[in-house]
Amino acid sequence: MALLDLTKLTTDLSTTWAGYLRDWDRTLRAGNYPETTRYNYLLAAAQLARYLAEHSPDPDAADAAEDPTEVTRGHAEAFQAWMI
């Protein structure tokens, strides 16, 4: 059984986030990254998207939850602190 199920990982994410994660997975596969590494990278990105949508107090987080190009360094740092 495969570890990485992109459909499951991208459930409840915006179509933009899901598309970016699918493209990134294709890039990682082309770079011959192991499935476990790809899974961990993609899981972290999906968790960031969910954090922005559900837990971030930042007023700009709603835009970033819809479009990963709107994610700022501040969003990433707040997410890291929240995870710890």
Side-chain angles (χ1 to χ4, degrees):
M1 185 172 130
L3 171 71
L4 181 55
D5 180 351
L6 271 174
T7 302
K8 188 174 180 182
L9 266 179
T10 58
T11 299
D12 298 331
L13 298 184
S14 72
T15 55
T16 306
W17 267 98
Y20 270 79
L21 293 182
R22 287 184 190 288
D23 289 348
W24 190 23
D25 183 47
R26 186 174 42 249
T27 300
L28 294 171
R29 280 186 286 128
N32 203 30
Y33 283 78
E35 184 179 28
T36 53
T37 300
R38 292 180 12 242
Y39 173 77
N40 287 323
Y41 287 3
L42 296 167
L43 176 62
Q47 288 172 327
L48 169 61
R50 287 187 183 93
Y51 163 78
L52 292 167
E54 299 169 12
H55 301 288
S56 178
D58 188 328
D60 296 331
D63 292 337
E66 291 297 317
D67 184 351
T69 64
E70 298 293 325
V71 175
T72 66
R73 180 180 179 160
H75 292 135
E77 289 172 347
F79 169 65
Q80 288 175 318
W82 180 79
M83 288 292 288
I84 293 170

